[in-house]
Amino acid sequence: MIDFTIDESDELIRNTVARFAEDHIAAHFRDFESARQVPDAVINAWESLGLNGLELPDELGGSDSSMMTRALVNEALGAVDAGAALALDRIGAAVYPLLEMASTAEIREIITPLLAESSRRALLVYVPDGRVESEGKTCSGTMPFVHADHADLVVCLDRQRAWTIDTGFEFDKVRGSGLRAAAPSSLTFRNAPIRHYWENTKGAALSLARARIYYASLLLGVIRKSAEFSREYAKERVVFGKPVAHHQAMAFLITDMNTAVTSARLQIQYACLAGANRVEAAASAFAETAEQAAYIGPNGVQILGGVGFMQDYPVEKYMREARALGLLLGGIDAAKDDAETSLAAYQPIIAGVL
Amino acid sequence: MELNLPAAVHEEIEQLRDFGRSTIRPLGIERDKIGSPTPPDHEFFKTVLKRGLSKDYSSEDTRGLIGTNVLRILQANENAYWDRGVASSLPGPGLGAGPVMGMGTPEQRKRYMSIFGDPDNPKWGAFAMTEPSAGSDVAAIKTRAVKDGDDWILTGQKLFSANADRADWIVTWATVDPSLGRAGHRAFMLEKGMPGFSPPIPERKMGIKAYASASFSMDQVRVPAANLLGGEEHYASRAGFKGAMKTFNATRPSIAANAVGMARACLDEALKFAEETGNIKKPRMQDRLETMRRKIRSAWLMCLRAAWLADREEENIVEASMCKATAAEVAMQVTSLGMELLGLEGVRGDHLIEKLYRDVKAMDIVEGTGQIQRVIMARTLVDLPRD
């Protein structure tokens, strides 16, 4: 069947998360940004929702949730504050290499202590370009940006392998182009001992695919909000005797931004449902979302004009964060590279089989 | 959420695909070279009818299997993949189906739709809105309808009406009073042979040459009251204009699906060319092919969503315009990239991608240009005033 209906249970989770974000984050995101952290009260409220490690099996403390559920949760959070979302979700995308490459016993061993305490955090680091090298039993190198300033477990992922580290690394505060509520830092590994190690090209590709859906859906929230906020502003603000939005140049820009958001969302949803072509579909979804974000972010500011450039309005933050999120996991180029690998084996698509 | 086709629908599309490969595409290429539409007495049309490939999904109950609109866009996508011009030339009511089925009285529906049953006798219907001075601005049509006793007298000119040169009837839009604007619009069933109705003449086009886009004039054509689509009562308040817009709503996703089909054809040809020339692994080539596939996917998902909403009888104003605007632009972008891949091979003028490059431009013009689609979306998104 062709059916775009969101499942009732997913709808429920999405609404719960959207309400949480509205109640606990929306009015304070500038404070979180300045403080480079989310206050304990908000963390406690988030923890009470029980949404950490959503994708983990029930018996390991998760909800066995699908990527569709994840995408909806992340869009809802990203639309309010993507930085806070990353700060709150203390398991985050680090769970994917575990789910795709580790045994159940290993996952249990790794995840149980993390879930037990709300101060404990895991962090996924994608290291395909030689920045961080694993040599035998240790790894070394520096990541110029990560969206955390502490972690109890770092999961490193490259194109063939994943490994975990729980000591031998340090975070150094960086200013952060965006996502400041997540405490942007650089991360340096100095002969950090490797605890768990998995080599599995397919598992690595699937882990990366899921991580791409994770970050693309956060990004989707950001660009959706940028498009919506600027649209509402343009309906209110009057120039040359009529609302900004009623000047055709602006009306067309606004409709194109709405279309761009939809394009990203549909690609993400498609990737969530994809089976055998999940790796390509997720890479395409990430590339599409990041590409549309590069269009929407600056135009969200443009529609507001001078005030858009000022920090009294959130569109400048959306612009910065739209770019920052789109650069994670190797950015558009890496996503396009991965999407392209399937072109040589391409089978002509027929109508309806995408 | 689910994006799978039932096996039976899949089979039906496979059949279309076989016929498309063996017959539709060769005919499309042939007509493109000749430069004129397939003649109505061509054996192809009887073959199509005998194979049941020209059926009108709007009158079928397919809801148990898949929505009518989704099925229609699947067909539109696959047909256009093989040749949009040939697909548009297929016998049947064409764009007239929407208004006849949506606005017509039961008697009119029976009278005008029943002519399409005989596989040995291909018949066409048509739809005429566009005029020399009213393209996108359909509210500005000048064709006049004047009441004379029980009859109506039609005078005016219509342009670019698909298959009008061979149609038994044409849903023809006219105004009873230009000062009434949209409220003055009426749809008439103009029939072949009516005195004063000059035979429609096919225009010369850049592409999609296998079907006729015909223009005609009406000089004091007397049309009986029974040919007023929907009868007088249908046109209370502003329902006249809305009738026309309703048909556009149902057809935009189909035109968009046509564009997606043509873009897919281009992608497949581009991949073939890249393979054959040993260029497929070149980064720049891969970059273009990846962009093509991704943009086609977005456009197609938008089409499916718009059609799915229509099947649920939910408002799809923004979605229908979005898929139309996007798919047409994507198809243009994809065929242009395809030409880029071909290089001078494309400039020779005998490659399928070159034909597609010309063919797809029409998709951003017919059924409301990309700009008009944005105006329509803006009316909902930012309350853009109509006037």
Side-chain angles (χ1 to χ4, degrees), chain B residues 246-258:
Chain B
K246 197 176 166 193
T247 67
F248 285 152
N249 246 338
T251 50
R252 266 179 239 143
S254 288
I255 302 290
N258 284 159

Side-chain angles (χ1 to χ4, degrees), chain B residues 62-121:
Chain B
T62 55
R63 275 164 200 281
L65 200 57
I66 195 165
T68 310
N69 284 284
V70 168
L71 194 55
R72 190 185 287 135
I73 67 162
L74 287 164
Q75 188 198 34
N77 182 333
E78 192 58 36
N79 277 336
Y81 176 93
W82 297 106
D83 194 89
R84 168 52 163 70
V86 173
S88 298
S89 75
L90 298 184
L95 285 175
V100 172
M101 295 304 290
M103 297 164 59
T105 61
E107 297 75 38
Q108 288 171 330
R109 290 208 290 266
K110 187 164 179 243
R111 179 174 157 202
Y112 293 112
M113 298 303 276
S114 63
I115 65 169
F116 300 112
D118 181 2
D120 290 319
N121 191 13

Side-chain angles (χ1 to χ4, degrees), chain B residues 116-135:
Chain B
F116 300 112
D118 181 2
D120 290 319
N121 191 13
K123 294 279 188 187
W124 286 265
F127 178 94
M129 173 71 88
T130 300
E131 298 184 1
S133 58

Side-chain angles (χ1 to χ4, degrees), chain A residues 302-313:
Chain A
Q302 188 72 20
I303 288 171
L304 270 74
V307 297
F309 199 72
M310 306 303 151
Q311 299 202 316
D312 303 324
Y313 286 88

Side-chain angles (χ1 to χ4, degrees), chain A residues 1-7 68 231-232 234-235 245-248 251-252 254-256 258-260 262-264 266-267 269-270 273 277 280-285 287-289 291-292 332 335-354, chain B residues 1-6 10 13-14 17 63-67 70 73-74 77-78 81 264 267-268 271 275 280-281 283 285-291 293-298 300-302 304-305 308 312 318 322 326 370-372 374-375 377-378 380-385:
Chain A
M1 286 296 287
I2 301 293
D3 186 358
F4 287 85
T5 316
I6 301 294
D7 293 346
M68 186 68 82
R231 183 168 82 217
E232 290 309 309
K235 283 160 75 174
H246 293 181
H247 294 272
Q248 205 171 60
F252 282 17
I254 291 164
T255 57
D256 286 351
N258 181 61
T259 299
T262 304
S263 178
L266 288 170
Q267 293 259 356
Q269 289 176 337
Y270 174 78
L273 297 174
N277 66 335
E280 175 272 309
S284 294
E288 181 68 11
T289 310
E291 205 171 275
Q292 300 296 8
I332 294 177
K336 281 176 70 83
D337 283 348
D338 286 349
E340 284 162 15
T341 53
S342 62
L343 280 169
Y346 178 82
Q347 293 294 313
I349 42 180
I350 70 163
V353 182
L354 297 145
Chain B
M1 192 170 161
E2 217 183 313
L3 296 173
N4 293 311
L5 290 187
H10 212 282
I13 291 165
E14 283 291 352
R17 196 164 176 78
R63 275 164 200 281
L65 200 57
I66 195 165
V70 168
I73 67 162
L74 287 164
N77 182 333
E78 192 58 36
Y81 176 93
R264 283 197 301 121
L267 173 59
D268 286 352
L271 279 159
E275 286 267 18
I280 187 114
K281 292 283 185 192
M285 193 72 89
Q286 293 232 327
D287 185 72
R288 286 170 178 157
L289 292 166
E290 185 279 329
T291 301
R293 180 180 57 188
R294 175 157 49 89
K295 297 298 175 187
I296 293 171
R297 180 179 292 159
S298 275
W300 179 230
L301 288 166
M302 286 178 194
L304 285 171
R305 190 173 158 76
W308 170 77
R312 291 162 61 93
V318 171
M322 184 189 290
T326 303
Q371 290 67 38
I372 291 298
R374 285 170 173 81
V375 168
M377 285 189 273
T380 299
L381 292 173
V382 298
D383 309 318
L384 187 72

Side-chain angles (χ1 to χ4, degrees), chain A residues 69-85:
Chain A
T69 312
R70 165 56 67 192
L72 293 166
V73 165
N74 279 16
E75 182 187 340
L77 286 172
V80 178
D81 185 351

